[in-house]
Amino acid sequence: MSKVAVIMGSKSDLPVMQDAIDILKEFHIDVEVDIVSAHRTPEKLFDFSKTAHTRGISVIIAGAGGAAHLPGMVASLSPLPVIGVPVKSSNSIDGWDSVLSILQMPGGVPVATVALNGAKNAGILAAQIIGSSNEKVLTTILNYKESLKAKVIESSKNL
Ligand code: RP5
């Protein structure tokens, strides 16, 4: 079964990144969680990125704030799809620094960037990537979409 790695630059990113972990667990997808700092543990970043695809991981979700180099550097080293989560951290000016650091990648090295603090969508996107070649996960996503629709229909009934 495919696994998703959820990594973040600091433990302080965990309250935001927990949304990705929670939705992946709700979808019954295996998750590996770790702290990998581009600036404080560059050797760990290198080792993680070079070996992730050899350990059954299919998608990497990487969250960081401020001068958020983690997702881009992981994408530069790993053959796996990388989803970047810009985090509005304590050292972020207003969140735009995190967004642009992750979003504005050079040609050839994509990072699929979600909204500021958008870890839940990162988890859903990772599941959709796995679901494109896994019938069971695809069914889970279809059911999730149905549940979103049912919630809206239910709330409009109760107005
Ligand atoms: C970034 O700096 C981390 O991803 C985090 O968002 C931010 C602040 O880190 P701490 O100082 O809280 O460890 O590299």
Side-chain angles (χ1 to χ4, degrees):
M1 171 65 163
S2 301
K3 210 186 332 179
V4 175
V6 177
I7 59 169
M8 60 209 86
S10 167
K11 196 177 174 193
S12 65
D13 298 320
L14 187 57
V16 168
M17 297 306 290
Q18 190 64 46
D19 288 345
I21 300 164
D22 289 347
I23 194 80
L24 286 162
K25 285 190 174 162
E26 191 182 316
F27 290 164
H28 305 291
I29 292 172
D30 288 345
V31 191
E32 176 187 296
V33 183
D34 205 355
I35 295 164
V36 182
S37 169
H39 304 116
R40 294 165 177 156
T41 62
E43 296 88 357
K44 184 175 178 181
L45 179 153
F46 190 91
D47 288 346
F48 170 86
S49 307
K50 287 300 230 184
T51 59
H53 66 283
T54 67
R55 289 185 285 113
I57 294 166
S58 303
V59 185
I60 298 169
I61 298 174
H69 295 132
L70 179 66
M73 285 308 297
V74 172
S76 78
L77 292 159
S78 172
L80 298 175
V82 176
I83 303 172
V85 182
V87 176
K88 191 168 186 307
S89 58
S90 58
N91 66 323
S92 171
I93 298 168
D94 56 5
W96 273 113
D97 43 4
S98 317
V99 171
L100 296 175
S101 297
I102 297 177
L103 183 69
Q104 288 299 116
M105 289 297 291
V109 191
V111 171
T113 309
V114 296
L116 188 66
N117 291 346
K120 184 175 183 176
N121 273 357
I124 296 167
L125 183 56
Q128 288 174 319
I129 292 169
I130 292 172
S132 67
S133 60
N134 178 317
E135 199 69 34
K136 204 170 154 204
V137 176
L138 190 70
T139 303
T140 304
I141 299 290
L142 286 167
N143 291 340
Y144 177 71
K145 288 200 166 289
E146 279 303 313
S147 78
L148 291 180
K149 187 164 82 181
K151 266 186 214 153
V152 174
I153 290 168
E154 194 55 33
S155 48
S156 65
K157 270 189 208 152
N158 294 329
L159 287 174

